[in-house]
Amino acid sequence: MLNDIYNKRIIELAGNIPRLGRLPDPDATATAHSKLCGSTVKVDLKMEDDRITDFAHDVKACALGQASSSIMASRIVGSTASELRELRETVRKMLKENGAPPEGKWEEIKFLEPVRDYKARHASTLLTFDAVVDAIGQIEAKAKTEAKQPAAAQG
């Protein structure tokens, strides 16, 4: 039943999204969009070494996209690139392959587990995870390119 996916905790998360807005000088910006429902999440990231140091997002999404964005925003700072890639894969498997929800600091994602029965809602639930991984990839690609440039060219 649709009421299962819009449970009390999902509504609470969607109504209280931290870190809304944009960063003034992000290391990368990425946007994820669901063609099916029209939801869009744009994220700004700052990273130092392999850790997220700052995060902001603009969320124009349904309650499920808002709830997953809320969980991401409240826990992302301090996370590593590999942790966030693994998280996206865990959430994807939870929705599409009956996988278990993540544990530890990401355990609140368990409230999104009922979404697995509604394929049309998977994309909006995954938006924030996809955008974060995209932004991380941009930052890593930029760092790799800069590392290959001669020191004089970087100046």
Side-chain angles (χ1 to χ4, degrees), residues 120-151:
R121 305 291 200 274
H122 290 184
S124 60
T125 304
L126 289 166
L127 287 175
T128 192
F129 304 100
D130 291 340
V132 164
V133 169
D134 180 4
I136 290 168
Q138 290 177 40
I139 293 167
E140 291 172 342
K142 191 177 357 174
K144 212 177 269 185
T145 300
E146 289 171 0
K148 288 181 182 178
Q149 294 177 352

mmCIF file of all heavy atoms in Angstrom, residues 120-151:
data_model
loop_
_atom_site.group_PDB
_atom_site.id
_atom_site.type_symbol
_atom_site.label_atom_id
_atom_site.label_comp_id
_atom_site.label_asym_id
_atom_site.label_seq_id
_atom_site.Cartn_x
_atom_site.Cartn_y
_atom_site.Cartn_z
ATOM 1 N N ALA A 120 8.343 2.663 -9.769
ATOM 2 C CA ALA A 120 8.240 4.030 -10.286
ATOM 3 C C ALA A 120 8.841 5.048 -9.317
ATOM 4 O O ALA A 120 9.138 6.174 -9.713
ATOM 5 C CB ALA A 120 6.779 4.381 -10.562
ATOM 6 N N ARG A 121 9.050 4.663 -8.069
ATOM 7 C CA ARG A 121 9.598 5.579 -7.065
ATOM 8 C C ARG A 121 11.106 5.378 -6.817
ATOM 9 O O ARG A 121 11.714 6.120 -6.069
ATOM 10 C CB ARG A 121 8.868 5.413 -5.721
ATOM 11 C CG ARG A 121 7.366 5.564 -5.774
ATOM 12 C CD ARG A 121 6.982 7.012 -6.066
ATOM 13 N NE ARG A 121 5.626 7.357 -5.707
ATOM 14 C CZ ARG A 121 4.558 7.175 -6.478
ATOM 15 N NH1 ARG A 121 4.678 6.582 -7.633
ATOM 16 N NH2 ARG A 121 3.369 7.583 -6.076
ATOM 17 N N HIS A 122 11.692 4.356 -7.441
ATOM 18 C CA HIS A 122 13.116 4.075 -7.219
ATOM 19 C C HIS A 122 14.001 5.249 -7.642
ATOM 20 O O HIS A 122 14.911 5.636 -6.909
ATOM 21 C CB HIS A 122 13.554 2.825 -7.973
ATOM 22 C CG HIS A 122 12.992 1.561 -7.417
ATOM 23 N ND1 HIS A 122 13.329 0.329 -7.920
ATOM 24 C CD2 HIS A 122 12.103 1.323 -6.420
ATOM 25 C CE1 HIS A 122 12.680 -0.612 -7.246
ATOM 26 N NE2 HIS A 122 11.928 -0.027 -6.336
ATOM 27 N N ALA A 123 13.747 5.800 -8.821
ATOM 28 C CA ALA A 123 14.619 6.847 -9.354
ATOM 29 C C ALA A 123 14.665 8.065 -8.435
ATOM 30 O O ALA A 123 15.740 8.593 -8.140
ATOM 31 C CB ALA A 123 14.166 7.255 -10.754
ATOM 32 N N SER A 124 13.509 8.507 -7.964
ATOM 33 C CA SER A 124 13.504 9.702 -7.114
ATOM 34 C C SER A 124 14.187 9.433 -5.777
ATOM 35 O O SER A 124 14.828 10.315 -5.212
ATOM 36 C CB SER A 124 12.079 10.209 -6.895
ATOM 37 O OG SER A 124 11.280 9.236 -6.264
ATOM 38 N N THR A 125 14.103 8.216 -5.292
ATOM 39 C CA THR A 125 14.745 7.852 -4.030
ATOM 40 C C THR A 125 16.265 7.826 -4.182
ATOM 41 O O THR A 125 16.995 8.169 -3.251
ATOM 42 C CB THR A 125 14.221 6.481 -3.556
ATOM 43 O OG1 THR A 125 12.796 6.544 -3.459
ATOM 44 C CG2 THR A 125 14.802 6.082 -2.214
ATOM 45 N N LEU A 126 16.749 7.467 -5.358
ATOM 46 C CA LEU A 126 18.186 7.343 -5.606
ATOM 47 C C LEU A 126 18.860 8.642 -6.062
ATOM 48 O O LEU A 126 20.091 8.696 -6.145
ATOM 49 C CB LEU A 126 18.439 6.255 -6.656
ATOM 50 C CG LEU A 126 18.198 4.823 -6.188
ATOM 51 C CD1 LEU A 126 18.150 3.868 -7.371
ATOM 52 C CD2 LEU A 126 19.269 4.398 -5.198
ATOM 53 N N LEU A 127 18.094 9.686 -6.337
ATOM 54 C CA LEU A 127 18.660 10.908 -6.912
ATOM 55 C C LEU A 127 19.849 11.452 -6.132
ATOM 56 O O LEU A 127 20.901 11.740 -6.706
ATOM 57 C CB LEU A 127 17.591 11.999 -7.012
ATOM 58 C CG LEU A 127 16.533 11.816 -8.087
ATOM 59 C CD1 LEU A 127 15.476 12.911 -7.970
ATOM 60 C CD2 LEU A 127 17.148 11.815 -9.469
ATOM 61 N N THR A 128 19.698 11.630 -4.843
ATOM 62 C CA THR A 128 20.777 12.240 -4.054
ATOM 63 C C THR A 128 22.037 11.376 -4.067
ATOM 64 O O THR A 128 23.150 11.885 -4.142
ATOM 65 C CB THR A 128 20.313 12.540 -2.606
ATOM 66 O OG1 THR A 128 21.288 13.370 -1.983
ATOM 67 C CG2 THR A 128 20.103 11.292 -1.775
ATOM 68 N N PHE A 129 21.863 10.070 -4.051
ATOM 69 C CA PHE A 129 23.014 9.155 -4.063
ATOM 70 C C PHE A 129 23.736 9.246 -5.404
ATOM 71 O O PHE A 129 24.970 9.281 -5.451
ATOM 72 C CB PHE A 129 22.552 7.724 -3.775
ATOM 73 C CG PHE A 129 21.804 7.615 -2.469
ATOM 74 C CD1 PHE A 129 20.418 7.570 -2.448
ATOM 75 C CD2 PHE A 129 22.483 7.579 -1.262
ATOM 76 C CE1 PHE A 129 19.717 7.490 -1.247
ATOM 77 C CE2 PHE A 129 21.803 7.501 -0.055
ATOM 78 C CZ PHE A 129 20.415 7.457 -0.051
ATOM 79 N N ASP A 130 22.963 9.286 -6.493
ATOM 80 C CA ASP A 130 23.563 9.392 -7.827
ATOM 81 C C ASP A 130 24.297 10.716 -8.003
ATOM 82 O O ASP A 130 25.405 10.751 -8.536
ATOM 83 C CB ASP A 130 22.487 9.251 -8.905
ATOM 84 C CG ASP A 130 21.899 7.851 -8.983
ATOM 85 O OD1 ASP A 130 22.544 6.887 -8.506
ATOM 86 O OD2 ASP A 130 20.779 7.708 -9.518
ATOM 87 N N ALA A 131 23.691 11.810 -7.548
ATOM 88 C CA ALA A 131 24.319 13.122 -7.699
ATOM 89 C C ALA A 131 25.614 13.219 -6.886
ATOM 90 O O ALA A 131 26.611 13.767 -7.362
ATOM 91 C CB ALA A 131 23.341 14.225 -7.291
ATOM 92 N N VAL A 132 25.610 12.684 -5.678
ATOM 93 C CA VAL A 132 26.815 12.718 -4.837
ATOM 94 C C VAL A 132 27.943 11.934 -5.487
ATOM 95 O O VAL A 132 29.087 12.411 -5.567
ATOM 96 C CB VAL A 132 26.508 12.202 -3.410
ATOM 97 C CG1 VAL A 132 27.783 11.859 -2.647
ATOM 98 C CG2 VAL A 132 25.684 13.232 -2.639
ATOM 99 N N VAL A 133 27.655 10.746 -5.982
ATOM 100 C CA VAL A 133 28.700 9.928 -6.616
ATOM 101 C C VAL A 133 29.209 10.609 -7.890
ATOM 102 O O VAL A 133 30.412 10.595 -8.171
ATOM 103 C CB VAL A 133 28.178 8.494 -6.876
ATOM 104 C CG1 VAL A 133 29.124 7.714 -7.770
ATOM 105 C CG2 VAL A 133 27.982 7.768 -5.546
ATOM 106 N N ASP A 134 28.325 11.245 -8.636
ATOM 107 C CA ASP A 134 28.730 11.992 -9.827
ATOM 108 C C ASP A 134 29.682 13.126 -9.437
ATOM 109 O O ASP A 134 30.741 13.311 -10.051
ATOM 110 C CB ASP A 134 27.481 12.544 -10.529
ATOM 111 C CG ASP A 134 27.789 13.334 -11.793
ATOM 112 O OD1 ASP A 134 28.961 13.423 -12.214
ATOM 113 O OD2 ASP A 134 26.839 13.899 -12.378
ATOM 114 N N ALA A 135 29.336 13.891 -8.413
ATOM 115 C CA ALA A 135 30.186 15.002 -7.970
ATOM 116 C C ALA A 135 31.555 14.502 -7.497
ATOM 117 O O ALA A 135 32.586 15.119 -7.801
ATOM 118 C CB ALA A 135 29.489 15.796 -6.865
ATOM 119 N N ILE A 136 31.572 13.403 -6.776
ATOM 120 C CA ILE A 136 32.849 12.814 -6.332
ATOM 121 C C ILE A 136 33.699 12.454 -7.545
ATOM 122 O O ILE A 136 34.901 12.731 -7.581
ATOM 123 C CB ILE A 136 32.609 11.580 -5.435
ATOM 124 C CG1 ILE A 136 32.040 12.022 -4.082
ATOM 125 C CG2 ILE A 136 33.903 10.779 -5.253
ATOM 126 C CD1 ILE A 136 31.499 10.877 -3.238
ATOM 127 N N GLY A 137 33.091 11.848 -8.542
ATOM 128 C CA GLY A 137 33.808 11.498 -9.768
ATOM 129 C C GLY A 137 34.396 12.711 -10.456
ATOM 130 O O GLY A 137 35.531 12.674 -10.953
ATOM 131 N N GLN A 138 33.656 13.816 -10.474
ATOM 132 C CA GLN A 138 34.164 15.056 -11.069
ATOM 133 C C GLN A 138 35.394 15.564 -10.311
ATOM 134 O O GLN A 138 36.386 15.972 -10.922
ATOM 135 C CB GLN A 138 33.089 16.144 -11.027
ATOM 136 C CG GLN A 138 31.919 15.927 -11.945
ATOM 137 C CD GLN A 138 30.881 17.032 -11.752
ATOM 138 O OE1 GLN A 138 31.231 18.197 -11.581
ATOM 139 N NE2 GLN A 138 29.619 16.662 -11.772
ATOM 140 N N ILE A 139 35.308 15.548 -8.991
ATOM 141 C CA ILE A 139 36.424 16.024 -8.164
ATOM 142 C C ILE A 139 37.655 15.151 -8.383
ATOM 143 O O ILE A 139 38.771 15.658 -8.548
ATOM 144 C CB ILE A 139 36.022 16.047 -6.671
ATOM 145 C CG1 ILE A 139 34.943 17.115 -6.436
ATOM 146 C CG2 ILE A 139 37.244 16.299 -5.780
ATOM 147 C CD1 ILE A 139 34.258 17.023 -5.085
ATOM 148 N N GLU A 140 37.461 13.850 -8.405
ATOM 149 C CA GLU A 140 38.592 12.931 -8.611
ATOM 150 C C GLU A 140 39.194 13.091 -10.002
ATOM 151 O O GLU A 140 40.418 13.066 -10.155
ATOM 152 C CB GLU A 140 38.139 11.488 -8.374
ATOM 153 C CG GLU A 140 37.834 11.211 -6.920
ATOM 154 C CD GLU A 140 37.208 9.854 -6.661
ATOM 155 O OE1 GLU A 140 36.686 9.223 -7.614
ATOM 156 O OE2 GLU A 140 37.228 9.426 -5.495
ATOM 157 N N ALA A 141 38.361 13.285 -11.022
ATOM 158 C CA ALA A 141 38.860 13.472 -12.386
ATOM 159 C C ALA A 141 39.657 14.768 -12.494
ATOM 160 O O ALA A 141 40.715 14.805 -13.135
ATOM 161 C CB ALA A 141 37.695 13.473 -13.371
ATOM 162 N N LYS A 142 39.166 15.820 -11.856
ATOM 163 C CA LYS A 142 39.867 17.103 -11.874
ATOM 164 C C LYS A 142 41.220 16.972 -11.176
ATOM 165 O O LYS A 142 42.230 17.489 -11.651
ATOM 166 C CB LYS A 142 39.011 18.173 -11.190
ATOM 167 C CG LYS A 142 39.542 19.573 -11.386
ATOM 168 C CD LYS A 142 38.732 20.710 -10.803
ATOM 169 C CE LYS A 142 37.452 20.422 -10.130
ATOM 170 N NZ LYS A 142 36.823 21.582 -9.494
ATOM 171 N N ALA A 143 41.245 16.276 -10.041
ATOM 172 C CA ALA A 143 42.495 16.090 -9.300
ATOM 173 C C ALA A 143 43.498 15.289 -10.128
ATOM 174 O O ALA A 143 44.696 15.593 -10.131
ATOM 175 C CB ALA A 143 42.224 15.384 -7.970
ATOM 176 N N LYS A 144 43.018 14.291 -10.850
ATOM 177 C CA LYS A 144 43.891 13.465 -11.687
ATOM 178 C C LYS A 144 44.482 14.295 -12.824
ATOM 179 O O LYS A 144 45.662 14.208 -13.131
ATOM 180 C CB LYS A 144 43.079 12.297 -12.262
ATOM 181 C CG LYS A 144 43.865 11.035 -12.461
ATOM 182 C CD LYS A 144 42.995 9.913 -12.953
ATOM 183 C CE LYS A 144 42.454 9.134 -11.792
ATOM 184 N NZ LYS A 144 41.696 7.945 -12.178
ATOM 185 N N THR A 145 43.646 15.125 -13.442
ATOM 186 C CA THR A 145 44.101 15.982 -14.533
ATOM 187 C C THR A 145 45.134 16.984 -14.039
ATOM 188 O O THR A 145 46.168 17.200 -14.677
ATOM 189 C CB THR A 145 42.897 16.737 -15.155
ATOM 190 O OG1 THR A 145 41.969 15.771 -15.649
ATOM 191 C CG2 THR A 145 43.332 17.636 -16.289
ATOM 192 N N GLU A 146 44.856 17.597 -12.882
ATOM 193 C CA GLU A 146 45.799 18.571 -12.319
ATOM 194 C C GLU A 146 47.122 17.915 -11.934
ATOM 195 O O GLU A 146 48.174 18.518 -12.065
ATOM 196 C CB GLU A 146 45.176 19.270 -11.110
ATOM 197 C CG GLU A 146 44.061 20.222 -11.490
ATOM 198 C CD GLU A 146 43.288 20.774 -10.307
ATOM 199 O OE1 GLU A 146 43.609 20.418 -9.149
ATOM 200 O OE2 GLU A 146 42.356 21.559 -10.537
ATOM 201 N N ALA A 147 47.069 16.688 -11.471
ATOM 202 C CA ALA A 147 48.288 15.972 -11.082
ATOM 203 C C ALA A 147 49.165 15.667 -12.288
ATOM 204 O O ALA A 147 50.385 15.588 -12.165
ATOM 205 C CB ALA A 147 47.926 14.683 -10.350
ATOM 206 N N LYS A 148 48.559 15.524 -13.475
ATOM 207 C CA LYS A 148 49.307 15.214 -14.682
ATOM 208 C C LYS A 148 49.940 16.440 -15.319
ATOM 209 O O LYS A 148 50.851 16.338 -16.118
ATOM 210 C CB LYS A 148 48.380 14.534 -15.708
ATOM 211 C CG LYS A 148 48.006 13.128 -15.347
ATOM 212 C CD LYS A 148 47.115 12.519 -16.421
ATOM 213 C CE LYS A 148 46.684 11.121 -16.051
ATOM 214 N NZ LYS A 148 45.796 10.534 -17.033
ATOM 215 N N GLN A 149 49.424 17.644 -14.983
ATOM 216 C CA GLN A 149 49.952 18.867 -15.576
ATOM 217 C C GLN A 149 51.298 19.226 -14.979
ATOM 218 O O GLN A 149 51.505 19.056 -13.768
ATOM 219 C CB GLN A 149 48.982 20.028 -15.365
ATOM 220 C CG GLN A 149 47.674 19.872 -16.104
ATOM 221 C CD GLN A 149 46.697 21.011 -15.823
ATOM 222 O OE1 GLN A 149 46.945 21.842 -14.968
ATOM 223 N NE2 GLN A 149 45.605 21.026 -16.546
ATOM 224 N N PRO A 150 52.195 19.752 -15.787
ATOM 225 C CA PRO A 150 53.481 20.222 -15.235
ATOM 226 C C PRO A 150 53.249 21.346 -14.227
ATOM 227 O O PRO A 150 52.286 22.093 -14.339
ATOM 228 C CB PRO A 150 54.242 20.755 -16.463
ATOM 229 C CG PRO A 150 53.494 20.247 -17.652
ATOM 230 C CD PRO A 150 52.112 19.915 -17.219
ATOM 231 N N ALA A 151 54.127 21.471 -13.267
ATOM 232 C CA ALA A 151 53.983 22.464 -12.190
ATOM 233 C C ALA A 151 53.825 23.880 -12.748
ATOM 234 O O ALA A 151 53.054 24.667 -12.223
ATOM 235 C CB ALA A 151 55.182 22.387 -11.253
#
